[in-house]
Amino acid sequence: MSDDSPQNDSDLFDKVVNLSKRRGFVFQSAEIYGGFRSAYDYGPIGVLLLRNVKDAWWRTMVQHRHDVVGLDASILSPPPVWEASGHLQNFTDPLVDCRSCGSRHREDHLDDPDTCPTCGEEGTLTEARQFNLMFQTHAGPVADSAAEVYLRPETAQGMFVNFANVLNTSRKKPPFGIAQIGKSFRNEITPGGFVFRTREFEQMELEFFVPPEESEEWYRYWCQERLNWYVGLGISESMLRLRPHDADELSHYSSGTSDVEFLFPWGWGELEGIANRGDYDLTQHAQHSGERLDYFDQERNERYVPHVIEPAAGATRSMMAFLMAAYDEEEVNEDTRVVLRLHPDLAPYKIAVLPLSKKETLTPLAQSIFDELKTRWMTDYDQTQAIGRRYRRQDELGTPYCVTVDFDSLDDDAVTIRERDSMEQVRIPVSGLIDWFREHLD
Ligand code: GAP
């Protein structure tokens, strides 16, 4: 991706939001009822992109490592979990109300603490009060306090409360990690920025348990690894930075945190936080549950509570960053070509099979090519509209390669492969397609 184009484009945000709607990446939730501002639905293309982001994370964080195992914990959890984690007391944002127009704001997001950003009145904002971001509901038919449960505001606690279960069943020992991808819920005061801040979102979190004396080393390791992950998936280094938190920014559990930030059209924004959580979580859960949550190191004949390094990323927010970074426009034959220069691992479709014409003579060959490719790669098949328009559509979806079946294909048993970024075309025998794509996609 070029350093000069997308982030200097002040319309980039609107362009990506429009493209998302037009091509089926992201829809406003409950749109036919006027829309539900704080939630989004991922359409036929968006669900593929989001899944690819999560798969790429899982491959790097779990599959390619011997020291990380996975988990899929429940979303609903009882109050003691959140009592122990500190969320019931501390997971709050400062909320102010405008006495004039009734709007509500996060105090720490105000440009001017004396002026209401909605009505512009000065001196109308109330004193801040702490607002807990957790969604509460009730389990079972009786809505009393005994039935109170919470929708998790982070996936992390599922890993801590399962620490002993995983340790006892996985044959791992520190340093080792538990990874999880899943939905989290926060009653954000000011959702916004498209899918940047929503009340329902997906996280990709790793809790990496280490001997205490190794925590600083592992913290630095994970900061670099996580930055590299975004670069490896095509975001240019100039659009990413690692920003250490100041002491007054640190969460209640953290002794050190750095954010991986992306240069969004409105400025730098957090994609992921890498935190040194010390022994806070395991100690808290051990105290509250009465269970032993430590590790006995037989070689050293020593028992200790592992410290935790936590790289915590947003899947939905990262997806938005990948979209922003990939969006590009260029002039081609006096026309503007919109192209998503997505890394092939993230591209919703890897290949599109496009018979040149709808004529039935091309269909059997095109269909048989599609049938073969689709078993290995997510492949689209499209035979409507002029070929130029179909190429443009695939460019907007970020499809790296189009395979065009034309009338010559019936004679020479060859097809044309068009590459998304360069628009260069090569002629390849049908029998060589799988090998060609193996070389270029796998
Ligand atoms: N367990 C630590 C934790 O949850 P966090 O910084 O609050 O840390 C981690 O969240 C990541 O989750 C963030 O960097 C962001 O990418 C994503 N995230 C947090 N709140 C979000 C929201 N309301 N909407 C979308 N993504 C969010």
Side-chain angles (χ1 to χ4, degrees), residues 155-168:
T155 61
Q157 297 306 319
M159 273 88 93
F160 299 129
V161 298
N162 278 293
F163 172 76
N165 284 337
V166 174
L167 196 63
N168 294 335

Side-chain angles (χ1 to χ4, degrees), residues 74-78 82 137 139 149-152:
S74 70
I75 286 172
L76 289 176
S77 36
W82 306 108
T137 185
V149 290
Y150 291 91
L151 301 188
R152 65 182 178 198

Side-chain angles (χ1 to χ4, degrees), residues 180-387:
Q180 178 169 204
I181 298 176
K183 291 239 176 179
S184 294
F185 302 82
R186 295 181 189 178
N187 199 0
E188 299 282 2
I189 297 168
T190 48
F194 194 39
V195 298
F196 182 84
R197 184 175 294 104
T198 51
R199 294 197 172 117
E200 176 178 345
F201 55 97
E202 268 188 284
Q203 290 187 304
M204 310 182 288
E205 296 196 285
L206 170 70
E207 307 306 328
F208 201 72
F209 301 93
V210 301
E213 68 279 8
E214 293 178 20
S215 67
E216 196 46 42
E217 184 190 329
W218 281 107
Y219 172 63
R220 284 199 301 274
Y221 167 87
W222 280 114
C223 284
Q224 200 52 49
E225 281 292 295
R226 294 307 305 148
L227 186 65
N228 294 348
W229 185 76
Y230 295 94
V231 175
L233 287 171
I235 301 185
S236 102
E237 283 181 60
S238 63
M239 284 154 64
L240 291 166
R241 72 176 186 190
L242 198 60
R243 189 185 66 80
H245 280 205
D246 294 332
D248 61 351
E249 278 181 275
L250 292 176
S251 310
H252 58 274
Y253 49 73
S254 173
S255 62
T257 297
S258 292
D259 287 345
V260 177
E261 294 187 336
F262 174 74
L263 190 53
F264 285 96
W266 60 82
W268 292 100
E270 174 189 336
L271 291 181
E272 164 159 3
I274 299 106
N276 185 345
R277 298 178 75 121
D279 63 1
Y280 175 83
D281 304 277
L282 291 181
T283 304
Q284 283 290 108
H285 284 299
Q287 278 169 5
H288 282 73
S289 67
E291 296 291 325
R292 186 155 224 172
L293 298 178
D294 55 14
Y295 174 71
F296 180 65
D297 186 332
Q298 282 181 337
E299 277 162 34
R300 288 156 58 173
N301 196 25
E302 177 185 279
R303 191 172 280 286
Y304 65 85
V305 178
H307 283 209
V308 172
I309 308 303
E310 177 198 65
T316 38
R317 191 179 285 183
S318 303
M319 185 194 114
M320 178 174 165
F322 284 119
L323 270 177
M324 298 260 166
Y327 186 94
D328 201 8
E329 291 178 357
E330 63 182 9
E331 293 305 307
V332 179
N333 300 332
E334 297 179 9
D335 195 18
T336 304
R337 177 173 94 112
V338 173
V339 54
L340 282 187
R341 301 190 192 278
L342 286 168
H343 188 286
D345 286 356
L346 300 182
Y349 291 115
K350 314 301 175 199
I351 309 166
V353 175
L354 311 175
L356 191 64
S357 122
K358 255 196 290 194
K359 292 224 168 69
E360 277 173 15
T361 41
L362 295 183
T363 307
L365 178 59
Q367 190 70 52
S368 74
I369 290 172
F370 171 70
D371 286 342
E372 193 167 9
L373 295 176
K374 76 180 185 197
T375 61
R376 292 177 168 81
W377 300 283
M378 194 73 207
T379 305
D380 194 13
Y381 183 92
D382 186 4
Q383 59 173 20
T384 53
Q385 293 186 317
I387 189 70

Side-chain angles (χ1 to χ4, degrees), residues 128-139:
R129 62 194 163 89
Q130 292 304 318
F131 171 74
N132 196 293
L133 300 184
M134 283 199 294
F135 278 103
Q136 193 195 55
T137 185
H138 293 93

Side-chain angles (χ1 to χ4, degrees), residues 20-143:
S20 295
K21 168 92 197 288
R22 183 157 44 86
R23 290 301 185 196
F25 284 88
V26 181
F27 304 127
Q28 181 85 63
S29 187
E31 195 180 326
I32 60 168
Y33 292 102
F36 180 40
R37 182 169 149 251
S38 59
Y40 287 87
D41 298 340
Y42 293 81
I45 307 301
V47 73
L48 298 176
L49 176 57
L50 182 57
R51 185 171 290 224
N52 291 342
V53 170
K54 291 185 285 184
D55 285 350
W57 187 90
W58 192 266
R59 263 197 310 277
T60 304
M61 304 296 276
V62 183
Q63 186 183 333
H64 291 175
R65 303 187 66 98
H66 68 281
D67 55 0
V68 176
V69 292
L71 183 78
D72 193 351
S74 70
I75 286 172
L76 289 176
S77 36
V81 171
W82 306 108
E83 181 99 43
S85 71
H87 282 76
L88 277 172
Q89 305 91 302
N90 299 318
F91 198 57
T92 55
D93 277 338
L95 171 73
V96 292
D97 294 292
C98 174
R99 291 190 203 87
S100 175
C101 70
S103 60
R104 296 194 147 167
H105 307 278
R106 249 180 86 165
E107 190 193 38
D108 55 337
H109 282 182
L110 294 175
D111 290 332
D112 172 1
D114 294 324
T115 309
C116 171
T118 305
C119 67
E121 293 267 339
E122 230 176 282
T124 56
L125 297 174
T126 59
E127 287 288 304
R129 62 194 163 89
Q130 292 304 318
F131 171 74
N132 196 293
L133 300 184
M134 283 199 294
F135 278 103
Q136 193 195 55
T137 185
H138 293 93
V142 184

